[in-house]
Amino acid sequence: MDFRRELYRSPNGDLWSLGRDPADGLAMIVHQANGPSGAAVSFITIRDFLGSGENGPQHQALLRLIAGLIDDGAGNDEVAK
């Protein structure tokens, strides 16, 4: 994954980004743990990321990004709850 778009950086230093899998070009979530946690990088399919049932700030950031792709002309940009 050469290009990544930062979605969310947590107060503890974890970084969540949107990137592409070089093998198939599909969008993936890239999570890089903070330094004290070992700075490990993990790749998560968008389906698994959103289907986890969690609603953390990193999930909300992805949903806002997706919502930003849709312009209803009324300025509605609230994330569905």
Side-chain angles (χ1 to χ4, degrees):
M1 272 183 229
D2 297 327
F3 176 77
R4 295 180 188 174
R5 179 173 179 157
E6 184 173 323
L7 293 173
Y8 178 73
R9 186 178 299 267
S10 71
N12 73 355
D14 281 13
L15 175 63
W16 301 85
S17 302
L18 182 64
R20 287 192 180 272
D21 184 330
D24 58 19
L26 294 178
M28 300 282 289
I29 300 298
V30 183
H31 172 245
Q32 182 168 2
N34 62 41
S37 295
V41 176
S42 57
F43 302 93
I44 310 159
T45 66
I46 292 175
R47 178 184 62 193
D48 289 345
F49 183 73
L50 292 177
S52 68
E54 297 181 39
N55 191 27
Q58 64 274 22
H59 298 87
Q60 293 176 26
L62 177 59
L63 292 173
R64 277 193 300 277
L65 177 64
I66 293 168
L69 300 173
I70 304 166
D71 180 9
D72 66 2
N76 295 326
D77 60 359
E78 185 174 329
V79 175
K81 296 181 173 135

